[in-house]
Amino acid sequence: MVLRYRNEKVTRETESSILNTYGRQQISFVRGKGCTVWDSSGREYIDLVAGIAVNSLGYSHPRLVSAICNQANSVIHTSNLYEIDNQSVLASRLAAHAQSAGWKVFFSNSGAEANEAAIKFAFKATGRRKIVSMDNSFHGRTAMTLSVTGQRKYWSGFENLLYKDVEWAEYGSAESLREKIDSDTACVMVEPVQGEGGVIVPGKDYLTQVTEMARKNGTLVIMDEVQTGVGRTGRFFAHLWEEGCRPDIITMAKALAGGLPIGATLVSGSVASAIRQGDHGSTFGGNPLSTAAANAVLDVVESSGFMADVSRKGEMLVSGLRRVFEKAQYVHEVRGKGLMIGLDMDSKSAAGFKSFAFDRGFIVNVTHEHVVRLVPPLVIGVEEIESFLSMARAFASSYVHAEPASGH
Ligand SMILES: Cc1ncc(COP(=O)(O)O)c(C=O)c1O
């Protein structure tokens, strides 16, 4: 069957040609503006998922669209065999967010690739092979990144593929890390806030302790900022909330190019000095189009007051939700940093909230079955937050909770 994709109506038959790796909702979004998206039947929604923390500038942001169109009109792709001006500019802009001089950047196309590169670089720079990663973490679906993802459900059926020299520490516990790290450890992988794991924000100074402990052992810290980076938490990198935290490698993807695929692995000067030509590569990584988009995203995110505004809006959402659910026994916690927020409920209530919100035109995501995750575009407006909160209020006042509150 030949698909003429513009005119062909997507039917179960056409959809069934897609490999069955995703549990998909039967809905297709065809247009967006700001935080609003429209589905193929013309229904309107406020999107608090943003392509899973990707569409930080929302939809159809004029600066992003014009950067992409202008670049597409001149050249979309060349090759890393040649100089790419947008890439060089982007690399120096990203390196400027590190806390010391001399950082270098390798570009790829996704978060998993950025982490995969990070591990290769850490092995090369240290000559060691052991990794310490965190329980409940998520770092990607390639063989190596799956191996350092601390959630067993993702390993199922692929155990034979897993890299074995990985030790697991309890996320948020410096004590637990102390027991696992030693002079054979090449790197510690850590998310500054666990995203897929249910929006878990570690305690004060935890990340600083991680980097201090690693340094004492000659171990590198890979800070996975794939979900948290590019202003999501109100700082360019979430780990910058802790002044003493000094990672050696930082990985990025998701929001960096506002919706075009990109990954970036930032390495300190001393890690960079161990990497030689040919050690790693990518056909598409950092191509002219994706890096033009990323530069446009940075123009907006780095503009004066933008990240402070993210923090303010995040506080408004968190405090609003805490008020709405303060008497609701089925809500265990409202937590988050900036515009990365988790509403921890029992799983039945989380599913109920998601479908109640959807019926009223709000898109939210549930992770870990019991955490409603909100990662809206960073450009979300105060009025949109208010209307989301009034929808949440309507849910809280009408929802009849039938299960025991402890039932995750
Ligand atoms: C912290 C973190 N690292 C890595 C990844 C993997 O990114 P990708 O899906 O782009 O490979 C994700 C994706 O959700 C993530 O949240």
Side-chain angles (χ1 to χ4, degrees), residues 253-275:
K254 285 196 181 275
L256 180 54
L260 288 190
I262 194 167
T265 306
L266 285 62
V267 303
S268 70
S270 80
V271 175
S273 65
I275 306 303

Side-chain angles (χ1 to χ4, degrees), residues 1-11 13-15 17-18:
M1 175 187 189
V2 178
L3 279 186
R4 287 181 303 273
Y5 81 96
R6 262 197 182 287
N7 300 323
E8 188 93 12
K9 197 160 167 26
V10 176
T11 60
E13 197 187 336
T14 59
E15 172 73 11
S17 302
I18 293 172

Side-chain angles (χ1 to χ4, degrees), residues 226-358:
V226 166
Q227 192 162 148
T228 50
V230 206
R232 167 67 46 198
T233 69
R235 290 278 165 92
F236 189 79
F237 292 126
H239 73 266
L240 294 176
W241 284 104
E242 287 189 30
E243 238 168 71
C245 173
R246 293 279 188 277
D248 306 277
I249 302 181
I250 302 167
T251 56
M252 308 177 72
K254 285 196 181 275
L256 180 54
L260 288 190
I262 194 167
T265 306
L266 285 62
V267 303
S268 70
S270 80
V271 175
S273 65
I275 306 303
R276 299 278 167 272
Q277 232 175 63
D279 278 348
H280 202 45
S282 164
T283 295
F284 289 119
N287 86 359
L289 189 67
S290 63
T291 47
N295 278 314
V297 168
L298 292 199
D299 290 344
V300 177
V301 172
E302 290 171 343
S303 66
S304 166
F306 186 90
M307 286 186 259
D309 207 37
V310 168
S311 285
R312 212 168 40 78
K313 292 185 292 192
E315 277 157 27
M316 182 181 166
L317 248 176
V318 167
S319 59
L321 286 169
R322 281 185 182 147
R323 267 196 305 278
V324 166
F325 291 112
E326 71 186 336
K327 299 213 171 81
Q329 288 196 358
Y330 55 89
V331 174
H332 307 298
E333 193 180 18
V334 179
R335 55 180 179 253
K337 209 153 186 94
L339 284 168
M340 185 168 178
I341 294 162
L343 190 53
D344 194 337
M345 307 180 168
D346 62 83
S347 52
K348 198 168 168 209
S349 304
F353 183 83
K354 181 178 166 187
S355 99
F356 185 93
F358 185 78

